[in-house]
Amino acid sequence: MDRLYTAEATAYGFRTGAVVTSDERLDLALSRPASMGGDDGPGTNPEQLFAAGYAACFHSAMRYAVKELGLPSRALDGSHVTARVHFLNEPPLDFGLAVELELTAPGLDAEQAGVVMERTHRICPYSKATSGNVDVQLLVAEASPTP
């Protein structure tokens, strides 16, 4: 495969430090959630960053899935994908992640949305990267207005 783009980010100070991209477009403080023994400070955390990236990539890949399935591109009008990343721990030191991806798509019925989700899961680079390593659950929400 040809390399189309490379993102570069550097983390400092572990989960209570900062992360910055090489172009400095992203420069964020990190905080550890209270449920993980932190102070629940004002910063973000790696799981939120992963959820944001996965949701955006998955939603974008959905355009190709709809096209492959012969559905009109307008079928995704008003749609959005929500990613929930769960940090898992089995003491003493076994950590993992689980992900829920939920599609809200007013232009698709539940069956169509499920088929689009399955096809997108085979296209999306984040889904490919997590395959066999992270439990990913695909969900379809009942249609509701976009935010």
Side-chain angles (χ1 to χ4, degrees), residues 50-62 81 83 124 126:
F50 183 59
Y54 202 162
C57 187
F58 196 88
H59 196 223
S60 184
M62 201 166 277
V81 172
C124 176
Y126 276 64

Side-chain angles (χ1 to χ4, degrees), residues 71-110:
L71 296 169
S73 59
R74 70 180 183 282
L76 294 177
D77 288 355
S79 69
H80 62 271
V81 172
T82 300
R84 294 178 197 91
V85 174
H86 306 284
F87 187 92
L88 310 173
N89 177 29
E90 185 174 326
L93 292 174
D94 192 9
F95 302 107
L97 298 175
V99 175
E100 295 173 11
L101 296 172
E102 184 174 42
L103 169 64
T104 299
L108 296 172
D109 64 37

Side-chain angles (χ1 to χ4, degrees), residues 36-55:
M36 295 174 69
D39 66 359
D40 220 14
T44 190
N45 61 64
E47 293 71 37
Q48 289 175 324
L49 295 169
F50 183 59
Y54 202 162

